[in-house]
């Protein structure tokens, strides 16, 4: 009973954090809402006795990826006024996509889950069982190519984020080392002779 109550409470927090990611207008607050969603998802993984996935979600996504997201968001110098203008313009398209996702989830939950043991409690495992070993066996045999493809996509995303931070912006002062090295004394110093003034 307590596990069911905890599941619904955490699911409510997770849904609220996910809605906050797409509705909050400040990008830093959106990233913080995403951190809350990741941590809540990790606790849900703990309820399913998948400790390795919970730890990886907290360490990798919250500890590394979200820090990278925050650095990129702060270095991009995003104009929040432009984001506010485009929010209402894309709201109907977002509502249509969200409605389609809700319909797909309802179809999976109510029609495709008939006969599945969804309401039965989890079977306790013995001490020798390792969820990490089972996950590794499935990940590196059956899903090896999608796993490698996801790694390549993440690498491309990191390179794209670095390129976005190095773009040229108006009013940005950059240092040209070659111009500083080849400067001459005659170009910088000019000696002017002036007549002395008497009081």
């Amino acid at each position: 009973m307590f596990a069911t109550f905890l599941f619904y409470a955490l699911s409510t927090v997770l849904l609220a954090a996910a809605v906050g990611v797409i509705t909050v207008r400040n990008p830093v607050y959106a990233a913080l809402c995403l951190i809350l969603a990741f941590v809540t998802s990790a606790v849900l993984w703990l309820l399913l006795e998948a400790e390795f996935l919970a730890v990886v979600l907290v360490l990798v996504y919250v500890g590394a990826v979200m820090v990278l997201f925050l650095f990129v968001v702060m270095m991009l110098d995003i104009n929040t006024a432009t984001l506010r203008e485009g929010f209402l313009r894309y709201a109907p398209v977002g509502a249509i996509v969200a409605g389609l996702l809700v319909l797909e989830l309802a179809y999976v939950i109510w029609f495709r889950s008939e006969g599945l043991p969804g309401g039965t409690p989890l079977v306790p495992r013995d001490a020798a069982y390792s969820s990490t070993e089972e996950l590794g066996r499935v990940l590196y045999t059956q899903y090896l190519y999608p796993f490698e493809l996801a790694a390549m996509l993440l690498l491309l995303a990191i390179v794209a984020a670095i390129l976005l931070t190095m773009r040229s912006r108006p009013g940005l002062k950059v240092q040209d080392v070659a111009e500083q090295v080849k400067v001459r004394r005659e170009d910088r110093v000019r000696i002017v002779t002036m007549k002395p003034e008497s009081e």
Side-chain angles (χ1 to χ4, degrees):
M1 182 66 185
F2 177 71
T4 305
F5 170 75
L6 191 60
F7 171 76
Y8 283 114
L10 290 171
S11 300
T12 305
V13 174
L14 179 59
L15 287 175
V19 170
V21 170
I22 60 174
T23 57
V24 172
R25 297 184 177 180
N26 192 339
V28 178
Y29 291 161
L32 292 176
C33 287
L34 190 57
I35 290 174
L36 177 61
F38 282 152
V39 172
T40 311
S41 300
V43 179
L44 287 175
W45 280 117
L46 285 176
L47 287 178
L48 292 174
E49 297 181 2
E51 297 86 4
F52 178 75
L53 291 177
V55 170
V56 165
L57 190 62
V58 171
L59 290 181
V60 174
Y61 282 95
V62 176
V65 175
M66 286 312 303
V67 172
L68 176 66
F69 281 177
L70 285 174
F71 275 121
V72 168
V73 164
M74 288 186 287
M75 283 192 299
L76 282 180
D77 194 19
I78 298 174
N79 190 3
T80 56
T82 308
L83 292 177
R84 292 191 187 99
E85 292 173 359
F87 181 76
L88 293 178
R89 184 175 57 186
Y90 297 113
V93 178
I96 292 172
V97 172
L100 289 174
L101 287 175
V102 168
L103 289 177
E104 288 178 0
L105 287 173
Y107 174 73
V108 169
I109 291 172
W110 276 290
F111 296 104
R112 296 298 296 264
S113 62
E114 294 179 359
L116 294 178
T120 57
L122 294 174
V123 178
R125 304 286 184 177
D126 56 350
Y129 178 78
S130 174
S131 62
T132 307
E133 182 180 352
E134 292 294 328
L135 179 66
R137 183 179 292 115
V138 172
L139 191 63
Y140 289 107
T141 56
Q142 186 176 357
Y143 297 104
L144 178 63
Y145 292 122
F147 181 71
E148 294 294 330
L149 181 62
M152 289 300 297
L153 288 176
L154 285 175
L155 178 63
L156 286 176
I158 291 173
V159 172
I162 294 172
L163 288 177
L164 282 175
T165 58
M166 296 178 64
R167 74 188 193 280
S168 60
R169 289 175 284 185
L172 185 66
K173 295 181 179 179
V174 294
Q175 184 177 5
D176 193 355
V177 181
E179 290 292 330
Q180 292 177 349
V181 170
K182 68 180 183 181
V183 70
R184 297 181 307 166
R185 179 175 60 90
E186 292 80 9
D187 298 334
R188 292 292 179 96
V189 179
R190 186 177 63 178
I191 300 175
V192 178
T193 57
M194 298 179 62
K195 294 181 180 180
E197 296 182 0
S198 59
E199 296 184 358

